[in-house]
Amino acid sequence: MGEIIKTAWVAAIVLLLCSSTIRAQQRYQTREGMVEVIGSYRDSRVIATSDHLFIVINYQTAEIGLSLDPATLRTETDSLNVILINSPLMPVILEGKLNIPYVNTLQQPDQELNFTALLHMNKIVKTIYANGAIKHSTGNDNFSSLLTLNFKLRLSDFGIVLLEGWSDEITIQIYQAMLKTQ
């Protein structure tokens, strides 16, 4: 019985140390970020969306990481959705540091973002330029801000060749609600 109590105390202390370390680092993650991939086919605009964007933000260092499985993207065209579902592309990963020293989720003016990041896609890594904003909101107990990011890229830079009629350039738009810090 004494050994069980000792083990429970050790487990409780380890759990407290781990939780305080995670909180001290102020790293927040979510799987419900929204992404829009905007391209064109001939003269028509085509938008693929996903709400399966995984984002990790370190509030203290303003480092950000995003991951998206292209198979989760959906359009209004069933045949294009089948192609996306069966895409051999591995998850797309973006890693960077916002152009702010840290992320402040308390009341503060909106912050404009412009920074470079590494984009990993199709086993190729390229530096991209992203811009966006952190817009603070009021009246929500859990969320304090909306993070938006935008960037353009050419698919051919990542070894992706499209059929005739498709534009090589796409625009990526990201939307993510940000948690309040305590």
Side-chain angles (χ1 to χ4, degrees):
M1 180 73 158
E3 196 63 34
I4 293 173
I5 292 173
K6 182 179 176 185
T7 303
W9 273 107
V10 169
I13 289 170
V14 168
L15 195 62
L16 284 173
L17 288 173
C18 289
S19 66
S20 66
T21 300
I22 291 170
R23 189 169 182 206
Q25 291 178 350
Q26 292 187 351
R27 283 183 64 170
Y28 294 91
Q29 62 187 17
T30 180
R31 294 181 190 270
E32 284 132 24
M34 175 70 171
V35 62
E36 291 182 342
V37 178
I38 304 165
S40 63
Y41 178 72
R42 302 203 191 277
D43 292 333
S44 298
R45 187 172 156 176
V46 178
I47 301 174
T49 62
S50 176
D51 61 359
H52 295 281
L53 180 65
F54 181 72
I55 300 176
V56 176
I57 301 173
N58 184 322
Y59 282 17
Q60 290 178 329
T61 64
E63 292 172 328
I64 187 168
L66 292 83
S67 177
L68 173 72
D69 182 351
T72 65
L73 290 166
R74 295 294 175 267
T75 69
E76 293 181 358
T77 307
D78 290 340
S79 58
L80 188 52
N81 290 338
V82 170
I83 292 170
L84 289 168
I85 289 169
N86 295 312
S87 169
L89 288 176
M90 301 297 289
V92 177
I93 297 170
L94 181 134
E95 302 170 312
K97 182 175 179 341
L98 304 175
N99 62 306
I100 53 179
Y102 61 91
V103 175
N104 183 353
T105 62
L106 303 176
Q107 297 233 348
Q108 139 173 352
D110 294 346
Q111 295 174 299
E112 295 298 318
L113 302 174
N114 48 44
F115 62 100
T116 58
L118 293 178
L119 183 66
H120 305 251
M121 185 165 58
N122 202 26
K123 299 181 182 177
I124 296 173
V125 180
K126 296 278 185 182
T127 300
I128 58 110
Y129 176 78
N131 59 45
I134 297 176
K135 297 187 182 280
H136 295 276
S137 63
T138 58
N140 189 317
D141 292 336
N142 296 321
F143 300 104
S144 68
S145 310
L146 176 66
L147 170 70
T148 62
L149 296 176
N150 304 294
F151 57 93
K152 293 183 181 210
L153 57 93
R154 287 183 308 203
L155 293 172
S156 59
D157 288 346
F158 293 91
I160 299 170
V161 179
L162 301 175
L163 297 174
E164 186 177 330
W166 286 97
S167 173
D168 184 41
E169 185 175 275
I170 60 173
T171 300
I172 311 294
Q173 296 181 335
I174 295 168
Y175 308 93
Q176 176 60 57
M178 295 177 65
L179 295 172
K180 283 185 181 178
T181 57
Q182 303 300 338

